[in-house]
Every structure is written in structure tokens, then in C-alpha cells.
Amino acid sequence: MSAIDKDKVIAVLNRILEAELAGVVRYTHYSFLVFGFGRIPMVSWLREQASESLLHAQQAGEWITTLGAYPSLVIGSLLDSHKHDIGAILRESLEAEGDALTLYRELLALVEDRSVALEEFARQMILAEEGHAAQVDKMLRKPGELSAFVARPV
Ligand SMILES: [Fe+2]
């Protein structure tokens, strides 16, 4: 098993940390702005996503200090379309989750067959984010529609 390229791994982990922290802010912000009949389940769902993003950020941050590096204090980009219907919020969320998935896949490529623990972490995060993206995709479909809102490789 060859060693990981620590600098590259830390750089990706920092981008993951920043993206997940942006998720905390984004989901919390949106939870304030949901109006209409769907408010109660939507607000609790958005707050669950904010908590999950915080957990992911904390896990990434712990890995950074485990590797002896300094965790970023930057927050990733926050797109706010200023459209606050549930569909717009979900489309933005799907895009952001897709970006996070790309980062976790980058991490996996860097640690695969090099670190069992980091590989396990990357795979678990990919599983969680894929599940989340699938859920959002289904929320964006019209009732009775089977085809994916956004086709993505699984
Ligand atoms: Fe996440």
C-alpha cells in the first residue's frame, strides 16, 4: 500500500470542509424562507440537511487535524438565486450536492488503496451524498414521472 499524497488530500479535505460549511449556511437560510402549505415538513427537512452538512464538515475538519494540518475557515460559495419557491431551493440544493459529490470522488481517487480509513470515509460520504441527491431528484419529479430530473452516473 503506497502512502497518500498528504498535501493533495488535505487540499481536497479543506475544499470539502468549505463546501459542507456552505451547506450549513445555505440550508439554514432557506429554512427561513419556505412559505406555503409545504412549510412544516420542508423546514424540518432543510434543518436536517443543515445538521448533516455540519456533521460532514466536522468529520472533514477532524481528518485535516488528524493529518496535522490547519482547517480552513473559509466558507464555500453560496449561490442564492433569490428565488425561494421550493423547486428553486431544491434545484440549487441538487447542484450543490453534485459539487460535493465531485469533491468526495476526488478524495476517493487520492486515497483508494492507500489508506483504508480515508477510503472508507470517502466511500461513506459518497453513499450519503448520492442518497441525498437521489432524494432531492425524486422531490423534483412530477407525480407519476419515473425518469430522473437530472441524469447522473451512479
Ligand atoms: Fe455532505
Side-chain angles (χ1 to χ4, degrees), residues 16 20 49 52-54 56-57 97 100 104 125 128-129:
I16 288 170
E20 295 288 6
Q49 303 317 306
E52 199 182 307
S53 279
L54 179 59
H56 293 176
E97 295 299 335
Y104 285 116
M125 291 300 109
E129 303 291 353

Side-chain angles (χ1 to χ4, degrees), residues 6-150:
K6 240 171 139 185
D7 290 344
K8 280 190 186 167
V9 170
I10 290 163
V12 175
L13 282 167
N14 264 319
R15 283 162 60 212
I16 288 170
L17 172 60
E18 292 168 6
E20 295 288 6
L21 287 176
V24 177
V25 176
R26 182 183 315 106
Y27 286 119
T28 303
H29 173 75
Y30 284 153
S31 76
F32 303 135
L33 293 162
V34 179
F35 305 119
F37 296 129
R39 178 170 166 82
I40 290 170
M42 244 350 252
V43 168
S44 55
W45 183 80
L46 288 164
R47 298 217 171 130
E48 268 169 39
Q49 303 317 306
S51 304
E52 199 182 307
S53 279
L54 179 59
L55 181 67
H56 293 176
Q58 288 165 341
Q59 288 173 297
E62 288 294 344
W63 267 114
I64 294 164
T65 50
T66 296
L67 295 173
Y70 191 75
S72 169
L73 245 184
V74 172
I75 291 186
S77 70
L78 287 163
L79 330 149
D80 186 351
S81 57
H82 289 280
K83 286 186 214 124
H84 296 116
D85 63 279
I86 293 175
I89 290 173
L90 292 175
R91 283 191 296 277
E92 229 175 86
S93 156
L94 194 60
E95 204 184 311
E97 295 299 335
D99 295 346
L101 258 167
T102 306
L103 289 172
Y104 285 116
R105 286 189 200 286
E106 264 179 55
L107 178 66
L108 179 61
L110 288 172
V111 299
E112 203 164 26
D113 295 327
R114 288 160 190 250
S115 158
V116 171
L118 269 166
E119 182 176 339
E120 187 68 24
F121 170 67
R123 288 185 186 278
Q124 276 176 15
M125 291 300 109
I126 289 169
L127 178 63
E129 303 291 353
E130 285 280 11
H132 177 72
Q135 195 73 269
V136 176
D137 193 282
K138 288 176 193 177
M139 287 161 94
L140 282 163
R141 293 181 207 172
K142 297 202 166 42
E145 216 167 74
L146 275 177
S147 54
F149 183 79
V150 175

